[in-house]
Amino acid sequence: TDRKKLHTAPVGQVFRLRPFHVLVATGGGYAGYRKYEDYKLEQLEKRGIEVPVKLASEWEVALYKSVPTRLLSRAWGRLNQVELPTWLRKPVYSLYIWTFGVNMKEAAVEDLHHYRNLSEFFRRKLKPQARPVCCLHSVISPSDGKILNFGQVKNCEVEQVKGVTYSLESFLGPRVSTEKLHFSQAPPGNSFQQQLVTKEGNELYHCVIYLAPGDYHCFHSPTDWRVSHRRHFPGSLMSVNPGVARWIKELFCHNERVVLTGDWKHGFFSLTAVGATNVGSIRIYFDQDLHTNSPCYSKGSYNDFSFISNNNKEGIPMRKGEHLGEFNLGSTIVLIFEAPKDFTFHLKPGQKIRFGEALGSL
């Protein structure tokens, strides 16, 4: 009689699983498995063994998308802005430096206690002499990173990595009005690629640069050009690691991205900053109206903003090497531009490159 009564809930209530929890657990587990597969592929590549392309199926992409990467990225962003105690800063940043091989000797401020939170540390500036801008070549690298692919655009398809392509029109979206950009009017019926080429005898070129977490996270203007238009695509925030880019076709078209278009001395020029997991925040310094990774967005939508107005008919002029924007961790930059047929890239696939070094020239 002195025993206490034990109240138990029905088994169905104890083990009730919500669909959201199942998706998160399944998707998260599968994402971890893919990370392990990517690691194995990287090890094979380091040994010089060519890895055959194996694309993800539709259900695998849908499963990966079930992971709430946008929510996790916003949470990560808020965590990064939490001010760390002075005594904790050096251990935390030192661990990050050791993990990703960060060279703090290049930082404008080497003292780790100076950075109040992780966000400030990620967006650290470099010493002016750390990245000299090449003056001999017409196009330079806008950031530190790894060259995933480069070359001519063919058949309206662009390679994100060797053997894996995406649609040029899906990536950039519908063509911007030629009246606003002062481009020549392309004959009707031409392909999307041909409509972007404004001068006879020119070709369309592309270059893909992957920024790893340990890289310098700011990006700069790759040449002298004029930015006329911004197009923001809300979307997924899947990893853009080269292993994932090799696995998911049109990965860059799925992810959130900011497309800057305009023109340079040879015609059409565009720079696209592609978001990724934990990189929901893409900042363009001269565009205060841009807000990325918003909680509310319509799938497949995009919003446009023109920098050309009655008061400013020239857009935003950018000088080669000038600060343009920043990521909050690591991601990808895609350049798509028009140039004469004798334009030559000074690159090798897979090479490491630093901001200010030559990409190509005439």
Side-chain angles (χ1 to χ4, degrees), residues 110-126:
E110 297 184 39
D111 182 11
L112 298 180
H113 296 100
H114 169 80
Y115 303 100
R116 295 174 297 176
N117 52 49
L118 284 166
S119 182
E120 286 189 2
F121 178 72
F122 292 149
R123 296 180 287 106
R124 64 193 177 276
K125 298 296 187 289
L126 299 181

Side-chain angles (χ1 to χ4, degrees), residues 15-63:
F15 295 101
R16 182 181 296 170
L17 293 176
R18 300 180 184 275
F20 175 76
H21 298 156
V22 174
L23 286 174
V24 171
T26 308
Y30 193 76
Y33 165 74
R34 286 307 315 173
K35 284 289 186 181
Y36 173 68
E37 290 293 311
D38 296 340
Y39 171 76
K40 291 198 299 184
L41 290 176
E42 288 178 4
Q43 296 306 307
L44 291 174
E45 287 182 344
K46 288 179 180 179
R47 292 161 55 187
I49 301 174
E50 187 171 347
V51 182
V53 175
K54 183 181 179 182
L55 294 177
S57 61
E58 290 186 9
W59 72 265
E60 287 178 308
V61 176
L63 185 59

